[in-house]
Amino acid sequence: MNKKIKNKELCFSFPIENISYIEKYRNKEKKNYFCNETSKKSFSEIKKTDLSLIRFSHLNLKNKFRLKKNNLENSYQILLEKEKRIVAQIKRYFREKGHLESCLNPIELRKNTLRKSIQNFFLKKIQNLYKIQEKRDSNNLIVNRLNKLKDLIFRMNQIYCQSIGFEYMHIEDEDQRNWIQNKIEKICISSKDIFETSEKIQFLSDLVSAEELEKYLAKVFPGEKRFSLEGIDVLIPMLRDIIISSEKQKITKIVLGMAHRGRINVLANIFGKPLKKIFQKVDEMSREEFFGDVEYHYGGFSIFKIRNKTIELNLSFNPSHLEIVNPVVMGMTRGYIDKLKKNPEEILSITIHGDASVIGQGVVQETINLYKIEGYSVGGTIRIILNNQIGFTTSKKDFLRSSRYCTDIFKFTQFPIFHVNADDIESVIFVSRLALDFRKKFKKDVVIDLVGYRRRGHSEIDDPKATQPIMYRSIDQHNTSKSIYFKKLNRIDKIVNRKIFQNMIDSYRRKLNARSSLSCETTFIDDFDCMIQNSEIYPRKDLIQSENLQKILQKINSVPKNFKLHPLVKKILQNRLKISLKESPCDWATAEILAYATLMIHGFDIRISGEDVSRGTFFQRHLKVYDQVSGKELFLMKNIKDSLGTLKIWDSVLSEESTLAFEYGYSLINNRSLTIWEAQFGDFSNVAQVVVDQFISSGKKKWGTQSNLVLFLPHGCEGQGPDHSSARIERYLQLCAEKNMKILIPSNPSQIYHALTDHCLMNRSNRDGTQRNPLIIFSPKSLLHHSKCRVHLKELFDSKFHSIIEEKFENEIQVDIKKIIFCCGKIYYELSKERRIIGYGTYRTLIIRIEQLYPFPQEELKDKIQKYNRVTNFIWCQEEPKNQGAWSHVKGYIRKIIPNYAHLSYFGRSKSATSSEGNYMKYKIKQKQIIQSALSSSY
């Protein structure tokens, strides 16, 4: 301390025991020093505090200096800084890596303790930090600090390494991370009881319900597939608690989607479906006349009563394609939000996944990618993984996925992920409530990974020991969740004795034997129509005055004077204004837009989605236009001020499967709207083929669901190659039966106008039983801008949809028809053009367009051709290969109605593995050959 002072301020870094030395120095120099950090405290008071640095200043000193290096290294300031870094490392380790040490696997033998290597790692760092001071620490300050750090390790272990593995540090949003961190670190559920006694008893009762039902079903239907929930029985109390907690958050509807595992249990114990109805479905499976579906694919609708309030529960129907129900549930949820004009927070969607399928099936990634896309967001979803650690017969992780967890797919959208041991019911309930709170706060999905096991095989007829002998040896020796929780409440909490427990079991078994509803809180509604409130009556199609639509068309296509349009777009809008003045015939896009305007006037809401739909793949629609200077967007349909309905158009993400499934789900709920999904090219819809096969075409037959979804599938062979030519008409026609869908291929603007309006509005000419069924429209591509594909506005108002269009010759010339060509789509215009060019047989060849392929208008076509009773040469002409297109579908109908002496010939491409040529010149040559050969064939 004999160092010459050159500073105005003197800074000392030293252990507290040197304070007495500083007092002597101050008295000797007779200077006034003060302690900046302790203000007016005396030295006697300072001695009692645990300060790491005491800083003294002298008013007359100019420069700073510090003590020698050895004193600096021994200072408590440096020690505390190092200590803080160690504390931060400990906390960060547990927050980031604690889930790796959590005891998540119920059938794993590892004890619920922190690994010694981790504990020793941090303790060694702490001991190294204080080793210089330990010998001189007479007041045990170092020992106390060491113990505090040991306590921190223990406490972080209790929070992050027990039955819950928290993954949230991958989230970039600091507010979200801090919110989760504060929630879980304030409540150490291993040491603090957060549930009331009545809640715990209810949890046990729900576990009894889940397990006893599975035992009963195994006894009543031995060997029947039911896809038992055993091993993750905790799903039942978890769902029930989510429903009850939802009421506190003012949630009015819950839409649930799940695969087949545990579905019967959920229907019985959560939805309150009477056992008689469940068993009736099981019994009907063996009847030949039964065309429904197996019970573990059925959904349902229930009213759940909580105190004086109710929550509507909706379980979506699902095929065996495990994860495809997820976007359907999202669409149903959005349908409720839009239809009821609700805040998204009031409608809760829950999806239940399997551990193998959630990481293995791409539709999951497509679906969660939609979560904050404006036209598809639903305010957050609770996603539950039934992780039974096996996929059918595969249990090795290396064979199931390339990631550590099956939930890693959710990290790209930065959802919080909570892994939880399914045998620890209180941890499961804690996590589910945390998830609900997070979803409400941030309107974001939350993932709950229920790690359990599968007590039976993939189905009850499988013996899993054949492929997993070690795993199932452990499972056989493992107690059920019901038994484990009873022991806790009996021996530790001491709130349930053996008698109460047995009474729970006996009471539930009596309900099972009565085969009545197992839930007194829910009222199950069997009729699916009640869920979507299909009692609404469709209004009749009133003919709108042409003057009104002309005015609407003018409004739609008017933009502000200072709005700088793209030159091509400006030309299109100007042409539409000419159409409104009847100075130009109406093209396809204009007729389509007028159909939307008509429906909006009738009070229909319209939703259109797909890739590039607002502009149109083929530069035809332009419902949204953009200022070429400012980039400002203008939605033209907003100019219709007096309409009762709305139109929303969404340019979707680059996805077919999830977006089509979403729109299907949307149409189930909001079925008084017009819901349209358009493929960029028709053949792109084959990516979503499972949606067409399992929902759109068969949903009504299997489950009684009714959808009025419309599909626009651009179709036409135009030399663009095999992948942009055919929408695969043959596939959709092959799915048609029992009037399950309507298949149209309109060939002029009037037809698309009436097809869309008739689909929603009652029309005397449209009583074929397909009113509320899906509508598949094979829309054109080149015809959108074809000069001959035009109609006068009058046809939109005075005409109707024609299933068959019989060619009318100009000036009604009397003709002697010798040959009739049937066709559909754009090939009609090519046939007509070629016929005019060659001139031969112009008035001896009749071309009839089939505009409705299903239901096939057989009687109408029969009436059309009866007057041509001398014709013996009938031709079907198509541009698709013979094994594709409509030929295989229509030939049977046509042969039944033509005379026995007549002959039906096929003209088109021969059978092919692809839909069209890859070379444009080859396409043109082949197309011309087809046209000329059909026209020149002998009479």
Side-chain angles (χ1 to χ4, degrees), residues 355-356 358-361 394 396-409 411:
D355 56 310
V358 75
I359 191 71
Q361 297 190 4
T394 304
K396 289 184 179 180
K397 189 188 76 171
D398 294 342
F399 293 173
L400 290 170
R401 57 182 180 270
S402 300
S403 60
R404 178 184 292 274
Y405 294 119
C406 65
T407 55
D408 287 344
I409 185 66
K411 286 185 178 179

Side-chain angles (χ1 to χ4, degrees), residues 600-665:
M600 291 168 67
I601 291 171
H602 279 83
F604 275 79
D605 293 327
I606 302 167
R607 175 186 169 92
I608 310 172
S609 77
E611 297 160 21
D612 309 318
V613 288
S614 62
R615 189 205 73 167
T617 301
F618 309 101
F619 208 77
Q620 84 279 11
R621 193 171 285 126
H622 299 287
L623 286 176
K624 292 179 182 179
V625 294
Y626 300 87
D627 190 300
Q628 297 300 297
V629 177
S630 66
K632 183 180 178 181
E633 176 186 289
L634 179 63
F635 183 44
L636 298 177
M637 298 300 284
K638 284 187 177 180
N639 293 338
I640 308 177
K641 303 294 183 182
D642 53 350
S643 68
L644 300 175
T646 61
L647 187 146
K648 294 182 179 178
I649 188 163
W650 305 106
D651 294 317
S652 76
V653 298
L654 196 64
S655 167
E656 285 80 28
E657 186 175 10
S658 64
T659 53
L660 178 55
F662 186 100
E663 302 307 332
Y664 172 81

Side-chain angles (χ1 to χ4, degrees), residues 564-588:
K564 181 68 174 178
L565 287 169
H566 187 281
L568 293 178
V569 176
K570 184 177 181 179
K571 184 178 179 181
I572 290 172
L573 297 190
Q574 288 175 342
N575 184 61
R576 290 178 187 172
L577 290 173
K578 289 181 181 179
I579 294 171
S580 70
L581 299 173
K582 297 184 179 180
E583 296 176 2
S584 178
C586 181
D587 61 5
W588 185 283

Side-chain angles (χ1 to χ4, degrees), residues 821-856:
I821 299 177
F822 301 109
C823 66
C824 60
K826 79 172 183 68
I827 201 169
Y828 162 76
Y829 293 92
E830 295 170 305
L831 286 166
S832 180
K833 179 181 178 181
E834 186 66 20
R835 187 180 58 183
R836 287 195 303 271
I837 293 173
I838 62 176
Y840 177 73
T842 299
Y843 302 118
R844 305 179 74 180
T845 300
L846 176 69
I847 304 175
I848 295 179
R849 283 171 276 175
I850 310 296
E851 302 279 294
Q852 180 173 306
L853 293 174
Y854 187 84
F856 191 81

